[in-house]
Amino acid sequence: MSIRTDRTPIHWNYFLAIEEDIADLTRWIEFHESNFKCFSIQLARVLMVASAEADVIAKKLADNIKPESGARNIRDYQKIIMDAYPKFDTHTVEIPRYGLSFTPWSNWGQPDTSPLWWMANNKVKHDRSNCFDQASLENVLNSVAGLFVLIAIYYQSQTSSVTPAPSLFEPSSFALVDGDWLVFRRG
């Protein structure tokens, strides 16, 4: 008996686990604009996990693009990633099941700015007693969409596709879902 193994894309599996957390939320919170400002402990947990992973992937992506940069924070990553991918801030992610569309990096169209969900995460992380309401559904969905964009751009330089495809989130222009695969577009 033999077992064939392939290298597991660990960051992709981590994203899928976060996406499962989002799917679980749909049993308790209707993904509707009237609920975008709701907040909770579970939303805070997902916001912090997704934002932390976005930080990891943004650093890896920036290091791949410009290894000598010494990039250490979101604003360092912004300059490097936007120089390499000038349309990065326009990438859109959808959750068709709920008719939602996100452009989570749109703030990066302006130099030295962080996404609103990133700033919300920092407020929740560093001043939770005063800013707990920043752990909102809106910020959580944008942070996971932002992570999705980062991971897709990161993996597209290494492979042409990953499996399984996401179950809720769908890319606009940077990738496409083909059956059980997420296929990356080049360029």
Side-chain angles (χ1 to χ4, degrees):
M1 175 164 85
S2 68
I3 299 173
R4 184 180 151 260
T5 62
D6 289 322
R7 186 162 186 221
T8 302
I10 189 67
H11 297 289
W12 182 245
N13 286 338
Y14 199 69
F15 169 79
L16 293 174
I18 294 169
E19 187 187 45
E20 286 177 24
D21 291 340
I22 296 294
D24 288 345
L25 289 171
T26 66
R27 296 179 51 85
W28 309 104
I29 304 169
E30 184 64 29
F31 285 14
H32 183 272
E33 64 187 316
S34 61
N35 288 331
F36 285 169
K37 298 297 179 198
C38 77
F39 57 96
S40 72
I41 290 171
Q42 182 62 16
L43 287 168
R45 290 177 61 210
V46 176
L47 176 65
M48 289 190 283
V49 166
S51 298
E53 185 69 357
D55 187 45
V56 168
I57 299 298
K59 180 168 181 29
K60 289 179 85 56
L61 183 59
D63 286 347
N64 284 355
I65 296 165
K66 197 172 181 182
E68 73 285 357
S69 73
R72 299 171 309 154
N73 61 51
I74 194 74
R75 295 217 173 130
D76 292 345
Y77 310 147
Q78 176 187 17
K79 173 85 172 103
I80 295 165
I81 293 170
M82 286 300 296
D83 284 350
Y85 300 96
K87 294 185 179 184
F88 186 86
D89 62 316
T90 66
H91 288 317
T92 303
V93 176
E94 299 174 353
I95 302 181
R97 178 176 171 185
Y98 296 100
L100 300 175
S101 180
F102 311 92
T103 311
W105 296 99
S106 61
N107 295 60
W108 271 16
Q110 302 160 6
D112 294 321
T113 55
S114 299
L116 297 176
W117 56 267
W118 183 269
M119 293 184 289
N121 172 68
N122 283 334
K123 288 177 183 177
V124 172
K125 182 169 58 173
H126 298 294
D127 191 15
R128 193 168 308 133
S129 59
N130 292 312
C131 300
F132 190 56
D133 63 334
Q134 295 295 301
S136 68
L137 178 63
E138 178 179 26
N139 286 324
V140 167
L141 293 174
N142 273 295
S143 70
V144 177
L147 174 59
F148 183 46
V149 172
L150 276 170
I151 285 179
I153 300 300
Y154 173 72
Y155 277 123
Q156 84 176 166
S157 67
Q158 301 173 19
T159 185
S160 61
S161 60
V162 291
T163 190
S167 59
L168 282 177
F169 291 85
E170 290 189 11
S172 58
S173 59
F174 54 91
L176 60 96
V177 174
D178 185 9
D180 197 35
W181 292 85
L182 180 66
V183 179
F184 303 120
R185 295 186 175 157
R186 303 283 182 214

